[in-house]
């Protein structure tokens, strides 16, 4: 049976729900790790844990090194470096899980500019809803004391992290176009090597010298958070997601990603005591609605037509 017609098996459904749970709760793990580590230290530790088991058995992908370096810098240093900074300076785990989803729209914008891709009516509607949602988030910073435990700096850094995620998506598309037999697993593993040295260099350059060896005395919860980020969120999560994309069309797998912000908000509120303001709830609703419009709007418009 072809992948386009194969139904979701119980195993596939369990894998999809597991990925949603892992990726939704990994924002809580980031917050826990940042209690004892700086953002740059956490970045280096995450990717060290991610590559150490697999780099010994997974062969390098057969494609130009420039794509590996570009993706490692955009996704590793760019996306997660900025995300860790945002969580450190003033962004809650709950809202980070939602705002980061704007990468869908940054990807569309970069695709239009760099790859000459056309924007559908559904995507244009989603972009409009997302823009209004971001305005709602921004309203929290108009009046001091009503930011819901976040800062304007944290909000901007999270948006920048989403933009870097989008840039890494463009790199993957270009790498796939240039490589007939694109090995996703090998690509992800070897790209994870790239951010380690830059993160170490950034830590040496900008972190307080007193914190450089602080990780040696970190509690077990910090190490558990690092292991969760490296092994569960990076290796297991991407492996299961990639398997689903190989077995089923993207339009049947992608909607599960809508569950990530739902889990992220719930986990942040229950485990970390995150507080969500009225404006933020409005922004969350609009961002989720914009994603639904982008994913399902095209089919709805086609049926009406």
């Amino acid at each position: 049976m072809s992948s386009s017609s194969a139904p979701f098996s119980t195993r596939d459904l369990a894998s999809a729900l597991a990925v949603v749970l892992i990726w939704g709760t990994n924002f809580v793990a980031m917050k826990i790790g940042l209690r004892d580590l700086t953002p740059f230290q956490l970045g280096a530790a995450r990717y060290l844990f991610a590559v150490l088991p697999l780099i010994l058995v997974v062969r390098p992908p057969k494609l130009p090194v420039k794509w590996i370096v570009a993706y490692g810098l955009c996704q590793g240093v760019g996306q997660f470096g900025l995300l860790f900074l945002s969580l450190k300076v003033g962004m809650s785990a709950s809202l980070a899980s939602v705002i980061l989803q704007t990468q869908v729209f940054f990807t569309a914008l970069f695709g239009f500019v760099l790859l000459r891709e056309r924007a559908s009516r559904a995507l244009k509607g989603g972009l409009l809803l997302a823009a209004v949602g971001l305005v709602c988030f921004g309203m929290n910073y108009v009046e001091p004391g009503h930011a819901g435990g976040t800062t304007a700096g944290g909000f901007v850094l999270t948006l920048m992290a989403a933009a870097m995620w989008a840039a890494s998506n463009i790199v993957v598309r270009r790498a796939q176009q240039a490589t007939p037999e694109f090995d996703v697993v090998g690509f992800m593993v070897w790209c994870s090597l790239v951010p380690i040295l830059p993160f170490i260099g950034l830590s040496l350059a900008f972190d307080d010298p007193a914190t450089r060896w602080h990780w040696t005395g970190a509690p077990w919860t910090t190490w558990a958070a690092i292991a969760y980020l490296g092994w569960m969120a990076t290796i297991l999560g991407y492996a299961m997601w990639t398997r689903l994309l190989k077995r089923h069309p993207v339009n049947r797998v992608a909607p599960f990603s809508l569950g990530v912000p739902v889990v992220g908000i719930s986990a942040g509120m229950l485990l970390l005591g995150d507080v969500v303001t009225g404006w933020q709830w409005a922004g969350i609703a609009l961002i989720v609605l914009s994603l639904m419009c982008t994913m399902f709007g095209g089919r709805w418009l086609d049926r009406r037509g």
Side-chain angles (χ1 to χ4, degrees):
M1 185 176 291
S2 66
S3 61
S4 60
S5 59
F8 260 69
S9 65
T10 302
R11 180 182 177 184
D12 291 339
L13 182 59
S15 294
L17 295 177
V19 172
V20 169
L21 181 63
I22 291 170
W23 283 351
T25 54
N26 95 121
F27 293 92
V28 174
M30 294 176 194
K31 274 287 192 180
I32 293 174
L34 289 169
R35 291 174 180 173
D36 295 282
L37 301 179
T38 68
F40 300 138
Q41 291 169 350
L42 183 61
R46 173 194 176 117
Y47 285 101
L48 276 170
F49 270 62
V51 303
L52 282 179
L54 291 181
I55 202 71
L56 301 176
V57 295
V58 176
R59 294 181 178 179
K62 296 179 179 179
L63 78 170
V65 176
K66 66 178 181 180
W67 300 122
I68 295 176
V69 174
Y71 186 85
L73 292 177
C74 290
Q75 194 255 7
V77 182
Q79 178 190 340
F80 286 104
L82 290 168
L83 179 59
F84 292 164
L85 281 171
S86 76
L87 291 170
K88 190 72 172 181
V89 305
M91 176 51 60
S92 66
S94 298
L95 294 186
S97 68
V98 179
I99 298 172
L100 205 62
Q101 301 307 315
T102 58
Q103 60 87 13
V104 172
F105 307 108
F106 281 113
T107 300
L109 177 61
F110 293 162
F112 173 76
V113 174
L114 300 175
L115 304 181
R116 299 291 187 264
E117 297 179 348
R118 297 180 62 183
S120 65
R121 286 188 295 168
L123 177 58
K124 291 177 182 177
L127 283 167
L128 179 61
L129 289 170
V132 178
L134 293 178
V135 171
C136 289
F137 284 121
M139 291 298 294
N140 286 274
Y141 310 110
V142 175
E143 298 181 30
H146 294 80
T150 68
T151 65
F155 176 69
V156 172
L157 284 168
T158 307
L159 281 177
M160 292 172 63
M164 291 306 300
W165 185 356
S168 70
N169 291 338
I170 299 300
V171 172
V172 170
R173 290 185 188 179
R174 296 293 299 273
Q176 288 175 326
Q177 293 171 357
T179 310
E181 297 180 2
F182 185 74
D183 178 13
V184 177
V185 175
F187 182 76
M188 292 300 301
V189 171
W190 283 85
C191 285
S192 295
L193 270 179
V194 176
I196 296 174
L197 287 179
F199 272 129
I200 293 175
L202 289 168
S203 178
L204 292 174
F206 297 105
D207 288 344
D208 187 336
T211 68
R212 289 177 184 169
W213 295 101
H214 186 64
W215 57 271
T216 58
W220 69 269
T221 51
T222 299
W223 290 107
I226 295 171
Y228 190 85
L229 293 173
W231 294 334
M232 298 293 289
T234 304
I235 296 176
L236 183 60
Y238 278 105
M240 290 193 295
W241 192 254
T242 301
R243 177 180 175 273
L244 289 171
L245 290 174
K246 286 183 176 181
R247 289 173 56 84
H248 303 280
V250 174
N251 61 4
R252 294 180 62 188
V253 178
F256 283 98
S257 65
L258 291 172
V260 173
V262 175
V263 174
I265 294 168
S266 303
M269 296 179 70
L270 292 174
L271 302 178
L272 300 176
D274 288 349
V275 177
V276 182
T277 69
W279 278 115
Q280 288 169 344
W281 278 121
I284 289 169
L286 285 165
I287 292 295
V288 173
L289 186 61
S290 71
L291 293 171
M292 293 179 66
C293 177
T294 303
M295 290 181 182
F296 306 116
R299 279 178 280 177
W300 181 76
L301 289 171
D302 288 342
R303 284 199 298 269
R304 289 200 64 183

